[in-house]
């Protein structure tokens, strides 16, 4: 064999070995992150203050389906008996996240210097869905909101979401709270008992209590709140400290948005104006029943509307503040932009994708 041929073959062999080695190296050693290591979400533990209500469904789903764990979040649920203590606990940092109703008391806390950030939807009144409604006795001549003038209307408490709803609905029909006899009855049971015994002419109720009254036959629906006004009834709140941890705050909302989509697709999709149970309908009802200690039939009767992406009706927060201030139910008006933050949810949705 000629010397030149031998040299050529040796060079070719060396190149083959080198190239093979390079290929193998690329296969087993992925490109490192800028910090020199693969980036992994830092584990974080969060406590969530909430009530055993159907409107807390996305939180139940996120726990049961492992959505929080996917974001390296260890979520613990802390049960409360009323809405106001949740707001207080969140503002003080006793819990990291609060899930509760938006009331005059909450706005008064903020007006008094307490810090809270509303970041996502947790239930609202929406046209075409039964969540809250005005009911009268089954044999009442009252046929609409305009007929309430001079009548006795029951609500839970002064400054409650019920107080707000009846006030706004009256205004839609040319009336004010001065045109009715507003009667605080302190509890849902009190409202139902007073309607049944006809101690009041009308009451506001939510589901599944609306369906319970209709089933028992002593009341009828005059108006659905969602058909009268758009209304952000409750929300997800961040404590001041948790809101500062932007990474964890966004990751929490990624899990929450995944759960609101799961909830919406299972129980809220409509066809021809009627809700059509989705693929995971029975599973979601079962999850809610487990966490609320309610029979599944009751859960099916009262599945509140929620935005599929967990988005707030942000502009409604200022509408509420202005109304409560007008009615002198809050000490002073606050700017909703100081308590509402939609940027973290939008970032979470961007990362989550469709």
């Amino acid at each position: 064999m000629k010397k030149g041929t031998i040299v050529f073959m040796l060079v070719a062999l060396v190149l083959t070995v080198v190239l093979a080695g390079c290929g193998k190296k690329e296969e087993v050693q992925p490109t490192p992150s800028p910090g020199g290591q693969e980036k992994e979400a830092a584990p974080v533990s969060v406590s969530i203050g909430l009530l055993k209500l159907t409107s807390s469904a996305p939180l139940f789903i996120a726990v049961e389906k492992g959505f929080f764990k996917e974001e390296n979040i260890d979520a613990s649920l802390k049960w409360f008996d009323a809405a106001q203590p949740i707001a207080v606990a969140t503002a003080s940092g006793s819990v990291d996240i609060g899930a509760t109703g938006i009331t005059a008391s909450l706005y008064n806390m903020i007006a008094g210097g307490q810090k809270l950030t509303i970041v996502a939807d947790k239930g609202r009144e929406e046209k075409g869905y039964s969540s809250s409604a005005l009911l009268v006795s089954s044999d009442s001549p009252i046929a609409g909101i305009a007929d309430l003038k001079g009548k006795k209307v029951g609500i839970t408490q002064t400054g409650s979401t019920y107080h707000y709803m009846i006030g706004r609905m009256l205004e839609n029909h040319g009336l004010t709270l001065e045109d009715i006899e507003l009667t605080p009855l302190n509890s849902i049971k009190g409202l139902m008992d007073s309607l049944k015994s006809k101690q009041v002419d009308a009451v506001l109720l939510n589901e599944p209590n609306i369906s319970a009254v209709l089933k028992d036959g002593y009341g009828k629906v005059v108006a659905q709140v969602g058909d009268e006004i758009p209304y952000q009834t409750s929300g997800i709140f961040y404590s001041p400290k948790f809101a500062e941890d932007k990474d964890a705050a966004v990751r929490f909302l990624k899990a929450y948005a995944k759960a609101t989509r799961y909830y919406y697709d299972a129980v809220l999709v409509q066809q021809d104006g009627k809700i059509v149970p989705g693929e995971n309908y029975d599973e979601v009802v079962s999850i809610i029943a487990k966490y609320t200690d309610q029979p599944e039939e009751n859960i099916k009767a009262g599945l509140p509307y929620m935005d599929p992406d967990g988005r707030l009706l942000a502009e409604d927060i200022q509408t509420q503040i202005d109304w409560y201030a007008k009615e002198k139910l809050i000490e002073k008006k606050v700017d909703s932009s100081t308590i509402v933050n939609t940027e973290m949810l939008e970032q979470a949705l961007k990362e989550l994708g469709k």
Side-chain angles (χ1 to χ4, degrees), residues 284-304:
V284 166
V285 168
S286 177
I287 289 172
I288 297 169
K290 171 184 174 180
Y291 282 87
T292 59
D293 301 323
Q294 291 287 327
E296 290 189 8
E297 287 305 309
N298 288 8
I299 300 303
K300 291 176 181 178
L303 291 160

Side-chain angles (χ1 to χ4, degrees), residues 227-250:
D227 292 341
E228 291 287 327
I229 58 170
Y231 176 33
Q232 186 69 59
T233 58
S234 55
I236 299 295
F237 305 83
Y238 279 174
S239 70
K241 183 178 179 181
F242 188 71
E244 290 176 1
D245 187 348
K246 293 297 189 293
D247 176 65
V250 169

Side-chain angles (χ1 to χ4, degrees), residues 230-290:
Y231 176 33
Q232 186 69 59
T233 58
S234 55
I236 299 295
F237 305 83
Y238 279 174
S239 70
K241 183 178 179 181
F242 188 71
E244 290 176 1
D245 187 348
K246 293 297 189 293
D247 176 65
V250 169
R251 282 193 279 132
F252 179 91
L253 287 173
K254 282 173 68 178
Y256 184 76
K258 192 178 293 186
T260 57
R261 291 176 178 180
Y262 201 90
Y263 173 82
Y264 186 93
D265 290 343
V267 304
L268 294 180
V269 173
Q270 290 189 345
Q271 289 181 9
D272 300 324
K274 293 183 179 180
I275 293 176
V276 180
E279 179 182 354
N280 301 307
Y281 180 86
D282 290 335
E283 178 195 19
V284 166
V285 168
S286 177
I287 289 172
I288 297 169
K290 171 184 174 180

